[in-house]
Amino acid sequence: DGGITQSPKYLFRKEGQNVTLSCEQNLNHDAMYWYRQDPGQGLRLIYYSQIVNDFQKGDIAEGYSVSREKKESFPLTVTSAQKNPTAFYLCASSMAGTVNTEAFFGQGTRLTVV
Amino acid sequence: QQQVKQSPQSLIVQKGGISIINCAYENTAFDYFPWYQQFPGKGPALLIAIRPDVSEKKEGRFTISFNKSAKQFSLHIMDSQPGDSATYFCAASKGGFNKFYFGSGTKLNVKP
């Protein structure tokens, strides 16, 4: 089955630690995205990538880093510089081209700082 | 600056009623307007989407109404069912790249 797999589903981080969230897709999509969701708020874009080895900052990139070494993988690292990392993180992918198309989302990773 | 504004924040509807969620946008360059449905603990899933060259799109019980001049679009859920209880997000994007701007979400509760 094609889709997006995020792992782990739940993640706990101690203050001062870096943690990496995994996102893998087998949809052969060129574009991938990371969004952050907080209670009562919409999804806010952290980083996005249109092609391998290239990515751009979204609206709230501070304290986060990404890499895109393979087409199917787009891991997100939440660094100790992110002051309020507790949130629900969503990875998405879509085809890239001249016409907008559906973005497919993973099931999310809930990160909690302990 | 919020690119897409969504209302209401929450909505309670009786089973069989009509649920209406509204969104407004500012950027006239937006050319793709999807609605996503999200159940608790899950990722959003595309429900229905519209492009600005049409004023309405219907899929089953779900209809998008689009008013280009007013820069507004809305989701209507006819004959609302308890299984429709979820959070709904409107979104907008432009050009050939799906950098979406999401509304803040509407939590819908359909009472049996």
Side-chain angles (χ1 to χ4, degrees):
Chain A
D1 287 335
I4 299 179
T5 301
Q6 289 187 242
S7 62
K9 188 171 182 179
Y10 300 96
L11 186 58
F12 298 90
R13 190 194 95 169
K14 292 182 179 179
E15 300 236 7
Q17 278 185 337
N18 293 352
V19 290
T20 297
L21 283 60
S22 171
C23 178
E24 303 276 333
Q25 55 99 358
N26 60 3
L27 299 167
N28 199 31
H29 285 164
D30 288 308
M32 297 187 74
Y33 320 72
W34 274 105
Y35 287 91
R36 170 180 170 143
Q37 185 175 20
D38 295 284
Q41 297 192 35
L43 284 67
R44 293 182 291 168
L45 185 63
I46 304 172
Y47 268 98
Y48 61 100
S49 169
Q50 294 176 265
I51 196 168
V52 174
N53 292 322
D54 185 51
F55 49 82
Q56 288 79 41
K57 293 182 179 180
D59 300 317
I60 55 165
E62 185 175 352
Y64 300 97
S65 65
V66 294
S67 63
R68 187 86 188 275
E69 297 176 0
K70 298 186 295 182
K71 185 176 183 176
E72 58 271 22
S73 179
F74 192 41
L76 173 74
T77 297
V78 184
T79 74
S80 57
Q82 171 50 238
K83 298 305 179 188
N84 185 23
T86 295
F88 190 49
Y89 290 87
L90 288 160
C91 179
S93 72
S94 72
M95 293 191 291
T98 57
V99 179
N100 289 315
T101 60
E102 177 180 359
F104 293 82
F105 285 84
Q107 296 298 289
T109 293
R110 186 165 299 281
L111 173 63
T112 303
V113 174
V114 296
Chain B
Q1 180 185 1
Q2 196 171 5
Q3 299 265 4
V4 179
K5 295 182 180 179
Q6 182 173 347
S7 63
Q9 187 173 4
S10 63
L11 183 61
I12 299 175
V13 174
Q14 291 295 125
K15 178 181 176 181
I18 302 173
S19 304
I20 302 174
I21 305 170
N22 301 299
C23 284
Y25 64 97
E26 288 297 324
N27 192 337
T28 55
F30 288 144
D31 58 6
Y32 180 66
F33 302 89
W35 284 90
Y36 280 83
Q37 179 188 56
Q38 184 181 31
F39 293 103
K42 303 294 184 183
L46 180 68
L47 189 63
I48 186 172
I50 198 168
R51 301 187 193 279
D53 52 345
V54 297
S55 60
E56 186 175 281
K57 183 174 182 180
K58 184 176 181 179
E59 290 184 2
R61 296 185 292 110
F62 301 93
T63 300
I64 299 179
S65 296
F66 187 82
N67 186 330
K68 189 174 181 179
S69 61
K71 293 186 287 186
Q72 295 175 347
F73 58 110
S74 59
L75 175 70
H76 296 234
I77 306 174
M78 311 300 288
D79 187 26
S80 298
Q81 299 297 312
D84 296 330
S85 297
T87 300
Y88 293 81
F89 292 97
C90 62
S93 64
K94 59 184 177 180
F97 180 61
N98 293 324
K99 182 183 176 184
F100 291 104
Y101 296 90
F102 283 86
S104 55
T106 296
K107 189 172 183 179
L108 172 65
N109 186 4
V110 181
K111 296 284 192 183

